[in-house]
Amino acid sequence: MQLDKLVHFHKALGDPTRIRIVTLLKQGPLHGQAIANKLGLKPPTITHHVAKLRDIGLVYQRRDRNTIYFYLDHKKLEFNANAILKIGEETKVTQEMKVEEKDKLSIIKNFFDADGTLKQIPSQQKKKLVALAYMIRQLEPGKTYNEKEINEYIKQYHGDFATIRREWVMHHFMYRENGQYELNPKEMWPVIF
Amino acid sequence: MQLDKLVHFHKALGDPTRIRIVTLLKQGPLHGQAIANKLGLKPPTITHHVAKLRDIGLVYQRRDRNTIYFYLDHKKLEFNANAILKIGEETKVTQEMKVEEKDKLSIIKNFFDADGTLKQIPSQQKKKLVALAYMIRQLEPGKTYNEKEINEYIKQYHGDFATIRREWVMHHFMYRENGQYELNPKEMWPVIF
DNA sequence: TATCTAATTAGATGATTATCAAATTAGGTG
DNA sequence: CACCTAATTTGATAATCATCTAATTAGATA
């Protein structure tokens, strides 16, 4: 159930230290000791809190030499903050676009060649979304790609990478931020493969 | 500042029972025992949880004969859910107001007497913020002060402690929480001295 | 290799909290 | 008034959790 995710998200923000960490990271990445100093706490305490924020996907990290920088995932924050407003209604939305598993498979079979390439982009909305979800499945959540990488990836399926890339963004499979592309959480997808 | 309010809001939603109550009330008002039945809990437990939701203003109630109906305040839910996205926003704006060190010194020289008292509160925004940052520098981070202590402290600089105290809070140098004052982390300050 | 730095883990402590049974209260209605 | 119903308070219990110190790990550097 998605209830649990909502609970964990709000529980994570239900603590003054973690709210302050989020506030700090909003302005840019920081490493652990910097956070500890700014908040007047010890490093183990920061590890403890950052772990909780990472568990719910709100924070990710990148290493630079000995130092680990923590980043805030703004999109995820926004998405989760709004989730409580949509609870109970999202059932309707996803229900309308629910596609049976066997239908998904037959769509794939019809529109993809034996070698895995896309014969043509389906014009019917539902089928198009299934094809888009299928093709995006090998991109990694949390990883950022530049436009060239995305194009190369798409080419294994179809030559018109511009259209497919645009459709992915348009239907919230991914988002673009100053030239970088990244997967959205699957809950935002109109269809999951 | 609204940190505490934010924390209480998210803490209130950081519990599966309360999320379920909110979900139920989204569809319309209910009385206590109805909620208890739907959730398989005892009435005292519902009282306990509804009290927390009422404390943060998310739920209000109306009596009809012997029965008390609980209502969800949709507006407040939406406002509070979005608050986390807006926290620190003003800081970002004022962050652009970078002041050179030498300018800071000349501002201090111009507005403070030889004995250290503030001649007058600068009306120009930038200069005012520098003066405010200068005067607050001896307060201890993490320590809480009551209003009287703050007033006494300000008096060493200027007689109009009410204005200066209000400006400090307004510009996020410090925040007030039930009569107690405390420094904000310097990252929230529009100017650091 | 030894050494340095930043982060994490382990374990302890004190505080908070979700839940319930029992008793009590607040407001009706006969 | 006596009685009824729904909600609340009280007090107890078990679980969760924020924070710290001390010890350990992961990776980089010399």
Side-chain angles (χ1 to χ4, degrees):
Chain A
M1 200 169 186
Q2 127 158 42
L3 187 149
D4 231 45
K5 237 173 103 174
L6 253 188
V7 171
H8 280 109
F9 170 75
H10 288 289
K11 198 179 286 195
L13 293 184
D15 175 273
T17 300
R18 288 192 290 267
I19 290 266
R20 294 171 77 200
I21 291 176
V22 167
T23 306
L24 286 177
L25 294 186
K26 259 191 139 178
Q27 310 171 33
L30 284 174
H31 61 274
Q33 303 210 337
I35 300 176
N37 284 335
K38 280 171 191 277
L39 298 187
L41 294 169
K42 301 298 174 187
T45 307
I46 304 305
T47 297
H48 169 78
H49 289 298
V50 166
K52 298 209 169 206
L53 294 172
R54 191 182 37 225
D55 283 349
I56 59 169
L58 226 57
V59 162
Y60 58 95
Q61 52 190 264
R62 257 169 224 159
R63 190 175 197 115
D64 179 44
R65 296 173 194 266
N66 254 332
T67 306
I68 294 177
Y69 287 88
F70 299 101
Y71 295 72
L72 179 67
D73 187 334
H74 293 76
K75 293 281 166 179
K76 217 157 248 171
L77 177 62
E78 186 176 347
F79 178 79
N80 284 311
N82 283 308
I84 182 67
L85 305 175
K86 304 202 165 105
I87 195 174
E89 102 184 41
E90 102 280 300
T91 342
K92 293 177 216 154
V93 178
T94 48
Q95 243 172 10
E96 287 171 17
M97 194 39 94
K98 197 117 200 170
V99 185
E100 299 285 340
E101 286 305 312
K102 59 176 169 53
D103 290 338
K104 290 183 189 172
L105 291 178
S106 81
I107 291 167
I108 299 307
K109 227 169 190 169
N110 285 335
F111 281 90
F112 288 84
D113 261 333
D115 64 354
T117 61
L118 177 64
K119 289 191 272 194
Q120 67 172 109
I121 301 177
S123 58
Q124 196 183 316
Q125 177 80 344
K126 193 178 84 171
K127 295 178 181 173
K128 185 172 71 183
L129 292 175
V130 170
L132 289 170
Y134 174 73
M135 288 187 290
I136 210 171
R137 74 194 185 286
Q138 290 148 320
L139 293 186
E140 269 182 60
K143 189 171 168 189
T144 66
Y145 301 87
N146 62 37
E147 188 156 313
K148 200 170 163 188
E149 291 171 319
I150 293 288
N151 292 347
E152 285 306 315
Y153 174 83
I154 296 176
K155 277 188 199 161
Q156 72 179 109
Y157 290 112
H158 199 267
D160 187 359
F161 49 78
T163 295
I164 290 172
R165 202 187 55 222
R166 181 159 18 88
E167 295 270 1
W168 274 347
V169 174
M170 195 184 309
H171 292 106
H172 305 108
F173 287 99
M174 56 179 359
Y175 67 96
R176 180 179 49 202
E177 212 168 68
N178 31 314
Q180 294 293 306
Y181 292 81
E182 192 173 332
L183 285 190
N184 274 324
K186 289 201 174 185
E187 298 80 35
M188 301 182 67
W189 296 8
V191 172
I192 296 176
F193 201 89
Chain B
M1 105 171 145
Q2 77 274 36
L3 187 149
D4 215 51
K5 239 173 98 177
L6 253 189
V7 171
H8 279 106
F9 170 75
H10 288 289
K11 198 179 285 194
L13 292 184
D15 175 273
T17 301
R18 289 194 288 269
I19 290 266
R20 293 171 76 200
I21 291 176
V22 167
T23 306
L24 285 177
L25 294 185
K26 259 192 138 177
Q27 310 167 39
L30 285 174
H31 60 275
Q33 304 211 335
I35 300 176
N37 284 335
K38 279 173 191 276
L39 299 187
L41 295 168
K42 301 298 173 185
T45 306
I46 304 305
T47 297
H48 169 77
H49 289 298
V50 166
K52 298 210 169 209
L53 294 172
R54 191 181 39 225
D55 283 348
I56 59 169
L58 226 58
V59 161
Y60 58 95
Q61 51 191 263
R62 241 161 242 167
R63 191 173 197 116
D64 179 43
R65 296 175 196 269
N66 253 334
T67 306
I68 295 177
Y69 286 88
F70 300 100
Y71 294 72
L72 179 67
D73 186 333
H74 293 77
K75 290 244 160 126
K76 214 155 250 168
L77 177 62
E78 186 176 345
F79 178 82
N80 283 311
N82 282 310
I84 182 68
L85 304 177
K86 307 208 161 103
I87 196 174
E89 228 169 50
E90 311 93 350
T91 319
K92 251 191 205 162
V93 175
T94 50
Q95 218 176 18
E96 292 169 15
M97 162 142 31
K98 201 115 199 172
V99 185
E100 299 284 339
E101 285 306 312
K102 59 176 169 52
D103 290 338
K104 289 183 190 173
L105 292 178
S106 79
I107 291 167
I108 299 306
K109 227 170 191 168
N110 286 335
F111 281 90
F112 287 84
D113 261 333
D115 65 353
T117 62
L118 177 65
K119 287 191 273 194
Q120 66 172 111
I121 302 177
S123 58
Q124 195 183 316
Q125 176 81 345
K126 192 178 86 173
K127 296 178 180 174
K128 186 172 69 182
L129 292 175
V130 170
L132 290 170
Y134 174 71
M135 289 187 290
I136 210 171
R137 74 192 184 287
Q138 290 147 321
L139 293 185
E140 269 182 61
K143 189 172 167 189
T144 67
Y145 301 88
N146 61 38
E147 188 156 314
K148 201 169 164 188
E149 291 172 318
I150 292 288
N151 293 346
E152 285 306 315
Y153 174 82
I154 297 176
K155 277 187 196 158
Q156 73 178 108
Y157 291 112
H158 199 267
D160 187 359
F161 50 79
T163 296
I164 290 171
R165 202 187 56 224
R166 182 160 15 88
E167 295 270 0
W168 276 344
V169 173
M170 196 183 310
H171 292 105
H172 305 108
F173 288 99
M174 55 179 0
Y175 67 97
R176 180 179 49 203
E177 216 166 68
N178 29 313
Q180 295 291 307
Y181 292 82
E182 192 172 332
L183 284 190
N184 274 324
K186 289 200 175 185
E187 299 78 37
M188 301 185 66
W189 295 9
V191 172
I192 296 177
F193 202 89

